[in-house]
Amino acid sequence: MSTVKRIIENAYVVTVSGAEFPGGHIVVEGDKITAVGPGPAPRIEGAERIDGTGCLATPGLVNTHHHLYQWASQGLAKDNTLFEWLVALYRPWSKMDAEVVAGAASAGLGWLAKSGCTTSTDHHYIFPKGRGDLFAAEIEAAAELGVRFQPCRGSMDRGQSQGGLPPDEVVEDIDTILAETEAAIDRYHDDSFGSMLRIAVAPCSPFSVSKELMVRSAELARAKGVRLHTHLAETLDEEEHTLQQFGMTPVEYMDTIGYLGPDVWLAHCVHLHDTDIKRLAETGTGTAHCPSSNARLGAGIARVSDLLKAGAPVGLGVDGSASAELVPLAGEVRQAMYMQRARYGPTALTARQALEIGTLGGARCLGRENEIGSIEAGKLADIALWRVDGFHAAVADPVVAFAYGATPPLARLLVGGRTVVRDDELVTVPQDEVGRRGADAHRRLMKLAEEVL
Ligand SMILES: [Zn+2]
């Protein structure tokens, strides 16, 4: 089989690894980038030539936190804090089945690809009994669309009767959780270079998970060589909870149970003390920053610029769509930048730094910085080509045109060299159908959840 070759020429190439090439080129052979540089590309027999005139080429964006099933429960509990919102939604979520997850994941991942995302994680932590294989449903949706996927087998074991927040009927027992998590890793996890599917382990949060499950999940992940994720320090209510239950802040608690390290990334980290930031940096623990969701729930503004200054890895995440309705990943580059500046001043986060956390920073969180996150020879050909001609051409700097205002149209999205989006339209799956599947999943969940809503 001959290798597919593509040449992108005349684009403003932002490699994110230091160099920028106005009018530059990128050569793609198979699933990898084989050359990047200034000016036209060398002639390559049989290559498809993509004219990038008027386009900005960036690495594909990396989404480091999501709950795809929540596509089916958008627009509910609209004006609530995190804890109020969770209490309102746990019961309807407990009624979901594999069909709901399949439709929600298809629409949620399609939406992500349309905003430049080439790699996404997911955090699925509710597994109602007898409702089909929910984890397989989202994995199939990602494979069909053709995006790189790193879903977490999530879990909760501490219901209300054990001092946790969720009702007892949505939690599982520890033995089931660990057995199912190990089975998911054995079945799906592909560690090879260029892998389209990796699994991570992710008990949900300190207020819904026992200490024993946190500790044993970390042991399992490390024995299997996969990454660890959870929610942390999202709200002050959570800090109050860990102070009351464990006598420690959320970061201190995770530190004492061995849940920090270069193989761990944490969602949110909004409420951090100076000592927490120091520990996250020292241990190489990543943060998935989800600015729109934090704003929607009134949780606060994460100390992203302080984390970056300390040298801690930071990535961007859209978070589940029930707390970040229709949020596009490219828009989070802007949201992150503006929220840091609103709180810390105009130099707190530049457009280029915001793009870097959305790409290379995310790759670091997922442990894939050698494969994705920047445009370099030898890395995977995960590339977004944005149209910054037209209205966007009136802006002096194409990176500013991308980051400051409305996201420009997406001319092309390559994942491992394969076209997934062309001219703002999904090409691997029928776009209208994907949208319909998401709406059907919403209607189905609302019907299944009628008696508890
Ligand atoms: Zn979340």
Side-chain angles (χ1 to χ4, degrees), residues 56 330-331 333-335 337-338 341 346-347 349-354 392 395 397-408:
L56 171 74
V333 171
R334 177 175 68 253
Q335 187 82 321
M337 182 183 68
Y338 282 150
R341 290 174 179 217
T347 59
L349 198 67
T350 67
R352 283 171 173 78
Q353 282 176 312
H392 289 79
V395 183
D397 175 343
V399 181
V400 169
F402 168 76
Y404 277 45
T407 301

Side-chain angles (χ1 to χ4, degrees), residues 45-223:
E45 199 67 31
E48 180 206 4
R49 185 175 175 279
I50 300 170
D51 185 6
T53 302
C55 289
L56 171 74
T58 69
L61 301 177
V62 177
N63 182 39
T64 58
H65 188 62
H66 209 334
H67 310 286
L68 286 163
Y69 72 87
Q70 291 182 13
W71 191 271
S73 61
Q74 296 182 77
L76 303 170
K78 295 184 278 287
D79 308 298
N80 297 105
T81 66
L82 173 70
F83 280 15
E84 294 164 353
W85 173 88
L86 282 168
V87 168
L89 291 172
Y90 280 134
R91 282 201 169 85
W93 288 341
S94 74
K95 305 295 177 188
M96 77 177 127
D97 62 7
E99 198 176 324
V100 168
V101 174
S106 185
L109 288 166
W111 188 252
L112 277 174
K114 279 169 61 59
S115 71
C117 175
T118 49
T119 297
S120 184
T121 185
D122 189 58
H123 187 183
H124 194 100
Y125 54 85
I126 296 182
F127 293 89
K129 281 191 187 66
R131 290 176 179 269
D133 192 337
L134 278 59
F135 204 55
E138 62 172 351
I139 286 171
E140 280 161 27
E144 185 195 26
L145 181 64
V147 293
R148 243 176 263 290
F149 199 36
Q150 194 155 338
C152 305
R153 205 302 182 176
S155 55
M156 302 194 291
D157 74 327
R158 196 151 71 96
Q160 274 159 9
S161 63
Q162 305 298 312
L165 188 71
D168 287 353
E169 70 255 34
V170 299
V171 306
E172 300 172 282
D173 67 84
I174 291 193
D175 292 339
T176 305
I177 290 166
L178 293 169
E180 296 273 328
T181 306
E182 187 168 4
I185 297 166
D186 291 343
R187 181 170 173 199
Y188 297 116
H189 184 69
D190 171 8
D191 217 9
S192 65
F193 186 94
S195 167
M196 294 298 286
L197 181 61
R198 287 191 188 158
I199 306 300
V201 177
C204 191
S205 65
F207 53 84
S208 60
V209 172
S210 69
K211 186 172 165 183
E212 186 189 351
L213 178 56
M214 284 284 184
V215 170
R216 291 179 65 189
S217 295
E219 285 167 0
L220 174 66
R222 283 167 181 150

